[in-house]
Amino acid sequence: MVSKLRQDIAAKSESDGGTLGGLRMTKQRKLVYDVLMDERDHPTATEVYIRSKQRMSSISLATVYNCLETLSAAGLVKQVNVGRDASRYCPNLAEHAHFICAKCEQVFDIGLKSDKKVESVWALPIGARIDHLEVAMKGVCANCNGAGEELGGKG
Amino acid sequence: MVSKLRQDIAAKSESDGGTLGGLRMTKQRKLVYDVLMDERDHPTATEVYIRSKQRMSSISLATVYNCLETLSAAGLVKQVNVGRDASRYCPNLAEHAHFICAKCEQVFDIGLKSDKKVESVWALPIGARIDHLEVAMKGVCANCNGAGEELGGKG
DNA sequence: TTGAGATCAAGAATTATTCTAAATAAAATG
DNA sequence: CATTTTATTTAGAATAATTCTTGATCTCAA
């Protein structure tokens, strides 16, 4: 059902307007969404703003925030939080965790092992309703780890 | 080894000063730590500040931030982040996740099921080093769920 | 075309947090 | 014990991300 939604959005992206699941697909919203899809590197709101401005110079930062918020609320993108850093945004709707490298600051999507479920390891509180689960990891990526460590790089 | 550390801190808390694993246990640091131990409800820095001020009226917010940062770095407390909310602090050193209720805003510690490991469900990137893993859940707690829903409360 | 409601833009406001600089306290040295 | 050194605390300024406000603009439906 997620991929069905994807197709619908792609279709909308072709045209000029229309709605999507009650969400009006305005030029700005489409643009922001396209920016996220084009380079799936978990940009921050400011980075999305910079990229969006290259294609629509009139767009404002506030609008980018609005769009990201709207798209998140509609379930079309995910807001990614790692520690206290600025939020990042991600159009990968599959269940996944995030790993950020403390050196190069790249963010990686971490998928579930097949047949595994996140909730399976936690002693969840009985009677509670879990609406949202976020898993964030910080460390050093394979590339930065080992390689370059002795060069005394930035981190 | 964690509980050994605990005892040491408790001991220090009795006396006036001393060091602990290279960490100088100043009045302020002890106070902040005691505040966290006395009411283990995951207070924010501001809440810790308010409680600390009741016992040492001269303490400043900056110092509370300093102490929380120092204690976190020393591994004596954990900084808890859920979404974009203000950080909360927790002296529970066991591996656990956090669940925050969107209605009453209470934070619950969620333990691992016995014999389970967090990493077991994730397809971790080969060659990367994971230093830190944080699991945050949001939803409605057992108490707020079911009870009170029809009363049209705040959230 | 017109009116209502949604969305956008610009900039002000807010909030949590960090930084800075001076004052104080504690530890080390003689 | 007096002095020097170093770490910590304090108060307030600064920062950064995000949200809010207001007026303008757009879109939809009649």
Side-chain angles (χ1 to χ4, degrees):
Chain A
M1 45 214 58
V2 148
S3 46
K4 171 70 170 58
L5 203 54
R6 256 311 144 56
Q7 284 174 10
D8 290 353
I9 304 167
K12 294 297 173 188
S13 299
E14 307 291 327
S15 77
D16 227 5
T19 74
L20 183 65
L23 187 72
R24 232 154 81 180
M25 255 303 154
T26 64
K27 283 200 188 78
Q28 289 86 347
R29 285 176 185 167
K30 248 186 316 126
L31 172 54
V32 165
Y33 184 76
D34 287 348
V35 162
L36 289 176
M37 287 300 271
D38 286 357
E39 218 177 321
R40 309 178 64 147
D41 57 351
H42 307 84
T44 62
T46 304
E47 283 161 351
V48 171
Y49 171 56
I50 292 169
R51 293 178 199 174
S52 297
K53 223 165 162 61
Q54 288 169 1
R55 307 195 208 168
M56 181 191 288
S57 62
S58 65
I59 202 168
S60 75
L61 179 58
T63 296
V64 169
Y65 269 104
N66 282 343
C67 292
L68 290 170
E69 151 73 30
T70 306
L71 292 168
S72 300
L76 303 181
V77 310
K78 286 189 172 181
Q79 189 183 41
V80 177
N81 295 297
V82 185
R84 293 250 91 232
D85 299 349
S87 292
R88 296 169 175 276
Y89 297 85
C90 162
N92 176 359
L93 298 183
E95 187 167 22
H96 65 285
H98 290 100
F99 170 72
I100 186 167
C101 174
K103 289 202 175 180
C104 66
E105 305 220 281
Q106 256 195 277
V107 176
F108 302 84
D109 283 2
I110 310 291
L112 277 172
K113 281 187 190 166
S114 50
D115 304 326
K116 298 283 185 175
K117 287 187 181 171
V118 190
E119 318 86 45
S120 66
V121 300
W122 298 108
L124 295 175
I126 296 186
R129 192 186 71 218
I130 311 285
D131 294 327
H132 193 79
L133 192 150
E134 184 158 33
V135 180
M137 314 180 196
K138 205 161 202 169
V140 182
C141 75
N143 215 38
C144 294
N145 202 5
E149 202 139 12
E150 62 280 68
L151 300 177
K154 126 175 202 191
Chain B
M1 45 214 60
V2 151
S3 48
K4 171 71 170 61
L5 204 54
R6 260 302 148 58
Q7 286 175 9
D8 290 351
I9 303 168
K12 295 298 173 187
S13 298
E14 308 291 325
S15 76
D16 227 7
T19 73
L20 182 66
L23 187 71
R24 230 154 82 180
M25 255 303 154
T26 63
K27 282 199 189 79
Q28 289 85 347
R29 285 175 186 168
K30 246 186 318 127
L31 172 54
V32 165
Y33 184 75
D34 287 348
V35 162
L36 288 177
M37 287 300 270
D38 286 357
E39 219 178 320
R40 308 179 63 149
D41 58 349
H42 305 84
T44 62
T46 303
E47 283 161 353
V48 171
Y49 171 58
I50 292 169
R51 293 178 198 173
S52 298
K53 220 164 163 65
Q54 288 168 0
R55 306 195 208 168
M56 182 192 287
S57 62
S58 64
I59 202 169
S60 75
L61 179 58
T63 297
V64 169
Y65 270 103
N66 282 343
C67 293
L68 289 170
E69 150 74 31
T70 306
L71 292 168
S72 300
L76 303 180
V77 309
K78 285 188 175 183
Q79 189 183 39
V80 177
N81 295 297
V82 185
R84 293 249 92 232
D85 300 348
S87 291
R88 296 167 174 279
Y89 297 85
C90 163
N92 177 358
L93 298 183
E95 187 167 23
H96 66 285
H98 291 100
F99 171 71
I100 186 168
C101 173
K103 289 202 174 180
C104 66
E105 305 219 281
Q106 255 194 278
V107 176
F108 303 84
D109 283 3
I110 310 290
L112 276 173
K113 282 187 190 164
S114 52
D115 304 326
K116 298 283 185 175
K117 288 187 181 171
V118 191
E119 319 86 47
S120 66
V121 300
W122 298 109
L124 295 175
I126 296 186
R129 192 185 72 217
I130 312 286
D131 294 326
H132 194 78
L133 192 149
E134 184 159 32
V135 180
M137 312 181 198
K138 205 161 204 170
V140 181
C141 75
N143 215 39
C144 294
N145 203 5
E149 201 139 12
E150 64 281 63
L151 300 176
K154 126 174 202 191

